[in-house]
Amino acid sequence: MVANILYPIGDLITDHFAVITGCGKDNNGKLYFDVTDNAFDYQKYYCNCETYEIRSADRQIIISQIRKSKKL
């Protein structure tokens, strides 16, 4: 899956992307996503189902769009 992050533009396309490479549960049983991003250090991203957001563990980065990967 490809995740657009940071600054969403009106047409839902951003100037930066990352790849969701996996998921798991932390020590508290909370679901997280592994995200590969060449611009930032590794962080877990957590889903808040009440607000429909996926945010970095430090809560500074929001994934604004998720698209299915395309085969080349």
Side-chain angles (χ1 to χ4, degrees):
M1 300 293 239
V2 175
N4 284 334
I5 63 174
L6 292 180
Y7 310 102
I9 302 170
D11 60 3
L12 300 177
I13 297 172
T14 65
D15 61 353
H16 185 85
F17 71 92
V19 179
I20 298 172
T21 56
C23 64
K25 290 189 176 183
D26 65 13
N27 293 337
N28 297 321
K30 194 170 179 183
L31 176 67
Y32 67 86
F33 296 97
D34 291 315
V35 177
T36 300
D37 182 342
N38 65 349
F40 298 98
D41 290 334
Y42 168 78
Q43 286 194 59
K44 293 178 181 175
Y45 284 71
Y46 289 92
C47 180
N48 182 335
C49 296
E50 293 176 10
T51 60
Y52 304 103
E53 288 183 337
I54 300 175
R55 286 183 175 257
S56 59
D58 65 4
R59 307 213 24 93
Q60 294 184 14
I61 303 170
I62 302 170
I63 294 178
S64 62
Q65 185 182 85
I66 298 175
R67 293 182 276 179
K68 187 174 180 178
S69 299
K70 295 181 179 180
K71 288 186 179 184
L72 298 178

